[in-house]
Amino acid sequence: QVQLVESGGGLVQPGGSLRLSCAAPGSMFRIYPMGWYRQAPGKQRGLVAAITRGGSTNYADSVKGRITISRGKAKNTVYLQMNGLKPEDSAVYCCNLRVGIINYWGQGTPVTVSS
């Protein structure tokens, strides 16, 4: 129904940076709460960062100070700027958009932090 398009993942050295992008269909005229989640093999999916309709943000404790979520100029477009990446940040990062109690997800973009 609603497909979120993600990009920006890849291989980066420890301490490096990546910028992930997520965009919802243009037919979604409202601004919705959005966020980034990540999941590594054998681990549960967890919140990385979220942003409300009004621009308030929330971050996982493990990424505070290193990662920033922001909205783009287009509606329901968000970015995840990741700096000072660590090997434990390696995971598939998925974008989320919430419409009421319904959650929509992107296909996921993998991030690998390794030397």
Side-chain angles (χ1 to χ4, degrees):
Q1 289 285 312
V2 176
Q3 182 179 355
L4 309 181
V5 180
E6 304 147 323
S7 64
L11 175 65
V12 64
Q13 293 184 336
S17 299
L18 285 174
R19 185 176 177 87
L20 308 183
S21 300
C22 174
S27 59
M28 302 186 74
F29 298 119
R30 284 179 170 266
I31 297 177
Y32 298 96
M34 299 182 71
W36 287 93
Y37 290 74
R38 67 187 182 188
Q39 186 169 26
K43 296 183 179 180
Q44 294 183 343
R45 182 176 61 196
L47 173 71
V48 179
I51 188 165
T52 70
R53 295 180 64 199
S56 297
T57 57
N58 184 44
Y59 298 95
D61 289 340
S62 60
V63 305
K64 287 181 178 178
R66 301 188 296 116
I67 294 180
T68 302
I69 187 171
S70 61
R71 290 192 178 274
K73 295 180 180 180
K75 288 188 178 70
N76 302 309
T77 298
V78 295
Y79 302 101
L80 191 72
Q81 179 66 49
M82 303 189 293
N83 302 318
L85 286 166
K86 305 174 181 179
E88 51 263 43
D89 293 319
S90 298
V92 175
Y93 285 70
C94 294
C95 184
N96 167 269
L97 181 150
R98 178 165 57 84
V99 181
I101 62 171
I102 305 299
N103 289 287
Y104 297 97
W105 299 90
Q107 79 285 354
T109 183
V111 172
T112 302
V113 184
S114 176
S115 61

